[in-house]
Amino acid sequence: MSATGYIQVRAYASNAQLPLQDTAIIVTASDGTAIAMRLTDRSGQIVPIAIPVPDKSESQSPDPGEVPFTTVTLLAHHQGYEQVEAEHLQVFAGTTTIQNLAMIPLAEVPGDWNQTIIFDTPPQNL
């Protein structure tokens, strides 16, 4: 891994898409190692997080054993909202992966107050 990609997050209150300030965002590597933790600003966004990724040149020939991206998992928590987990997010060299998070108020799901909403991103068919 010799290149860098970025992940950008925007957290907002479900259908209204109102930005959520102070949403805790944790990004982990596929092995569970923490990469970064950020809090969203008043626009509901974080400063992009740099992620080490494979160099673009390593994916120029067809090799089923190599993928041109790094996968990360993102966990978002905001008081009064369900937790959101986005798994297998793909980050490519020289690009910014943007993840929008629709946070659902706990009042809308009173029986599920301790649940985490999980989104699994399937791998690219490259």
Side-chain angles (χ1 to χ4, degrees):
M1 293 197 194
S2 58
T4 303
Y6 299 89
I7 189 159
Q8 168 69 49
V9 177
R10 182 175 76 96
Y12 56 89
S14 56
N15 295 336
Q17 293 197 17
L18 299 172
L20 285 175
Q21 184 174 359
D22 295 330
T23 300
I25 306 294
I26 301 167
V27 177
T28 60
S30 57
D31 66 0
T33 304
I35 295 174
M37 181 191 164
R38 302 278 191 277
L39 289 175
T40 57
D41 61 18
R42 66 184 183 149
S43 67
Q45 296 186 18
I46 61 169
V47 172
I49 297 169
I51 307 289
V53 298
D55 190 81
K56 288 180 184 180
S57 64
E58 294 178 22
S59 63
Q60 298 300 312
S61 61
D63 182 355
E66 291 185 29
V67 292
F69 55 83
T70 295
T71 58
V72 297
T73 296
L74 183 145
L75 181 65
H77 175 76
H78 191 93
Q79 186 172 2
Y81 290 81
E82 281 197 314
Q83 288 191 118
V84 174
E85 183 173 336
E87 299 177 336
H88 306 117
L89 298 175
Q90 298 149 21
V91 182
F92 292 83
T95 63
T96 300
T97 299
I98 298 173
Q99 182 64 47
N100 291 312
L101 300 173
M103 307 293 287
I104 299 172
L106 290 176
E108 291 184 17
V109 284
D112 294 333
W113 62 271
N114 64 346
Q115 299 294 315
T116 299
I117 300 171
I118 299 175
F119 296 98
D120 187 8
T121 306
Q124 297 288 328
N125 186 11
L126 302 174

